[in-house]
């Protein structure tokens, strides 16, 4: 999105999956390939590209934003799946970073430098991605609690136990209530975890599920419903993916301000409680939820940007949540990226490293041509 004019590049026609090498678990792709199309083609070989930001994003956008999502807790983020990039630098030089080997100790990790750079360093024109096998069995569970803190504590305990859920999402009663009304889910309106496990056999999954039940009961879980039918499982994940749209639809005429922070998993419970309390105290319409398994918390707040008092309350809540997340050793953005909105928090989070980032940007792009106005103030 240009902030002061300029050229916009459109990668729509660079949309080819160039090669899939099933034996290497790799694919070479152009940046305009859409995530679902890549997965459709990889699926023919029993493989998939796990990072899933919900939207059918382009691979170039996912790389530039280090996209992640519901299954990151097990499979990792985009950065864990990029082996090699072809990049065009601002002066027009074409270069590649990394290699196609599964590991390398060779020099600076320039591939990771470009991942998450939000188009500020160069243009990705080709990527070699790691793929992984489609899990043969999956099992979904819905776990309820009397209070939010117990639910958030159970998340930390489950992750610490090594159970490796493939997804672990926290939802507050307010959001469940809204999803019930808008999507007809029929769930109890109490703090809830949506959880999914992937495994090589049904027997292994049943064992995992019974361990998860024991653990969550010891954390105050009041019900544990596993083996959710396929149809209901799809409905649940669709509703979770569509949470932002659902909230938006239910509050027509209002704009959303989305908080997106992440903290170490042991600090997740206090982050959740702090955020929900803040929203309640300030009497703001807001919904707390998140990719709990990776300590990622979202608060979607509704307001009118034209109402200065109302909107500044929302911005204040956002700032206080970001500040607390950074104090707890976390980050100002778990997955939505810095862009324009989070620039003001970068120095607070990174300290002197922020200056080094600036220096790298100035070295690679001395004229400031690449996506100016993003990441840096
Ligand atoms: C409401 C909302 C929810 C979101 N939820 C998530 C989420 O759950 N998880 C998540 O990870 N992200 C999320 N995002 C952030 C973002 O939309 C995604 O990461 C997505 O992957 C971006 O892909 P895109 O194709 O839409 O990219 P675009 O929006 O087109 O581009 C994103 C960035 O990548 C740069 N870029 C694009 N292509 C290239 C290229 N070839 N070379 C260099 N730079 C390039 C652009 O300059 C831009 O800075 C969310 C955003 C919004 C607004």
């Amino acid at each position: 999105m240009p902030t002061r004019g300029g050229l916009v590049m459109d990668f729509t026609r660079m949309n080819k999956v160039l090669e899939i090498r099933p034996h290497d678990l790799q694919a070479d792709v152009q940046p305009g390939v859409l995530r679902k199309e890549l997965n459709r083609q990889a699926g023919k070989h029993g493989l998939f590209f796990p990072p899933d930001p919900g939207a059918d994003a382009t691979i170039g956008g996912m790389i530039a934003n280090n996209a992640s999502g519901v299954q990151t807790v097990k499979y990792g983020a985009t950065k864990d799946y990029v082996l090699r990039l072809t990049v065009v630098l601002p002066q027009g030089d074409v270069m590649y970073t990394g290699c196609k080997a599964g590991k390398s100790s060779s020099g600076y990790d320039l591939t990771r430098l470009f991942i998450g750079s939000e188009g500020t360093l160069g243009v990705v024109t080709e990527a070699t991605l790691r793929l992984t096998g489609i899990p043969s069995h999956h099992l979904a569970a819905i776990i309820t609690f009397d209070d939010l803190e117990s639910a958030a504590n159970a998340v930390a305990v489950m992750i610490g136990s090594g159970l490796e859920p493939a997804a672990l999402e926290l939802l507050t009663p307010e959001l469940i209530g809204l999803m019930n009304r808008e999507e007809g889910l029929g769930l109890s309106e109490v703090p809830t975890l949506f959880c999914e496990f992937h495994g090589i056999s049904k027997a292994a999954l049943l064992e995992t599920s019974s361990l998860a039940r024991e653990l969550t009961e010891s954390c105050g879980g009041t019900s544990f419903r596993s083996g959710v039918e396929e149809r209901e499982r799809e409905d649940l994940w669709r509703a979770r993916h569509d949470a932002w749209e659902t909230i938006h639809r239910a509050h027509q005429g209002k704009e959303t301000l989305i908080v997106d922070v992440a903290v170490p998993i042991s600090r997740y419970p206090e982050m959740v409680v702090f955020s929900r309390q803040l929203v309640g105290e300030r009497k703001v319409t807001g919904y707390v939820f998140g990719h709990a398994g990776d300590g990622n918390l979202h608060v979607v707040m509704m307001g009118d940007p034209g109402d200065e008092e109302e909107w500044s309350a929302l911005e204040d809540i956002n700032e206080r949540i970001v500040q607390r997340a950074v104090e707890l050793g976390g980050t100002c953005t778990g997955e939505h990226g810095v862009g324009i909105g989070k620039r003001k928090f970068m120095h607070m989070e990174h300290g002197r490293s922020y200056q080094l980032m600036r220096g790298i940007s100035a070295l690679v792009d001395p004229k400031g041509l690449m996506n100016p106005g993003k990441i840096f103030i």
Side-chain angles (χ1 to χ4, degrees):
M1 188 182 286
T3 53
R4 40 185 133 116
L7 298 174
V8 175
M9 288 187 200
D10 179 358
F11 294 98
T12 311
R13 290 193 293 166
M14 291 182 75
N15 64 349
K16 306 272 178 308
V17 174
L18 300 168
E19 187 183 10
I20 294 182
R21 294 180 295 284
H23 296 298
D24 288 331
L25 307 178
Q26 288 178 10
D28 296 334
V29 302
Q30 292 184 323
V33 169
L34 296 174
R35 179 180 67 83
K36 287 183 185 166
E37 175 58 18
L38 170 61
N39 278 332
R40 192 186 66 75
Q41 296 196 32
K44 293 180 192 162
H45 305 276
L47 299 171
F48 80 122
F49 175 67
D52 172 6
D56 193 11
T58 60
I59 297 301
M62 290 180 69
I63 290 171
N65 191 59
N66 186 25
S68 56
V70 287
Q71 298 192 356
T72 294
V73 58
K74 181 177 174 73
Y75 293 99
T78 301
K79 67 179 164 55
D80 302 305
Y81 290 87
V82 183
L83 292 167
R84 188 180 198 267
L85 292 175
T86 304
V87 181
V88 181
L89 297 178
Q91 294 82 355
D93 301 326
V94 182
M95 63 166 222
Y96 63 86
T97 69
C99 66
K100 295 185 180 178
K103 63 190 279 196
S104 165
S105 308
S106 173
Y108 295 167
D109 192 344
L110 295 183
T111 306
R112 288 272 181 111
L113 178 64
F114 282 95
I115 297 170
S117 64
E118 299 187 13
T120 59
L121 294 179
V123 173
V124 173
T125 53
E126 198 179 311
T128 297
L129 305 175
R130 194 197 296 275
L131 304 172
T132 194
I134 297 173
S136 51
H137 293 80
H138 45 238
L139 181 141
I142 303 170
I143 314 161
T144 61
F145 297 80
D146 279 337
D147 63 282
L148 196 58
E149 194 167 4
S150 301
N153 270 324
V155 170
V157 171
M158 262 182 47
I159 298 297
S161 71
L163 272 180
E164 289 197 5
L168 186 51
E169 297 287 308
L170 174 82
L171 295 101
T172 47
E174 298 81 11
L175 184 59
I176 300 261
L178 187 73
M179 286 157 99
N180 280 344
R181 287 194 297 282
E182 297 283 322
E183 310 272 333
L185 287 187
L187 296 170
S188 304
E189 293 175 21
V190 291
T192 300
L193 297 178
F194 285 177
C195 183
E196 183 159 309
F197 295 101
H198 293 171
I200 49 164
S201 71
K202 207 169 170 188
L205 281 182
L206 288 176
E207 200 171 330
T208 306
S209 150
S210 101
L211 273 170
R213 179 193 293 265
E214 268 176 43
L215 277 177
T216 49
E217 276 173 3
S218 73
C219 296
T222 48
S223 74
F224 185 101
R225 186 155 65 87
S226 70
V228 176
E229 292 290 326
E230 189 61 26
R231 175 80 191 275
E232 192 186 354
R233 174 180 165 270
E234 280 172 14
D235 288 348
L236 282 177
W237 288 121
R238 188 170 40 249
R240 169 58 192 88
H241 271 313
D242 295 347
W244 179 78
E245 284 84 355
T246 307
I247 295 170
H248 210 254
R249 205 172 47 235
H251 298 277
Q252 302 234 347
K254 296 277 186 186
E255 288 298 323
T256 49
L257 196 156
I258 313 178
V259 183
D260 164 44
V261 294
V263 292
I265 197 75
S266 65
R267 314 310 293 269
Y268 196 64
E270 65 187 280
M271 197 67 238
V272 171
V273 171
F274 172 80
S275 305
R276 188 159 178 248
Q277 255 169 13
L278 202 55
V279 168
E281 277 164 19
R282 302 293 292 268
K283 302 198 179 359
V284 160
T285 309
Y287 300 88
V288 176
F289 57 101
H291 307 309
D294 17 78
N296 191 185
L297 180 88
H298 295 314
V299 185
V300 178
M301 298 182 286
M302 314 304 301
D304 173 6
D307 180 337
E308 214 172 289
E309 198 182 331
E310 185 182 47
W311 199 255
S312 68
L314 267 51
E315 285 183 337
D316 184 51
I317 293 172
N318 183 33
E319 289 206 24
R320 291 183 60 188
I321 294 176
V322 167
Q323 191 158 359
R324 177 58 70 93
V326 172
E327 279 163 13
L328 295 177
T331 174
C332 70
T333 171
E335 59 184 14
H336 291 178
V338 180
I340 301 163
K342 292 280 173 74
R343 291 179 307 180
K344 60 184 173 201
F345 304 122
M346 289 294 280
H347 186 261
M348 172 176 70
E349 178 178 336
H350 297 283
R352 291 185 68 123
S353 299
Y354 181 57
Q355 298 311 327
L356 182 58
M357 286 187 211
R358 267 186 182 290
I360 293 169
S361 160
L363 177 75
V364 179
D365 181 20
K367 291 186 178 160
L369 299 175
M370 306 302 295
N371 212 3
K374 309 297 163 57
I375 302 185
F376 307 105
I377 289 177

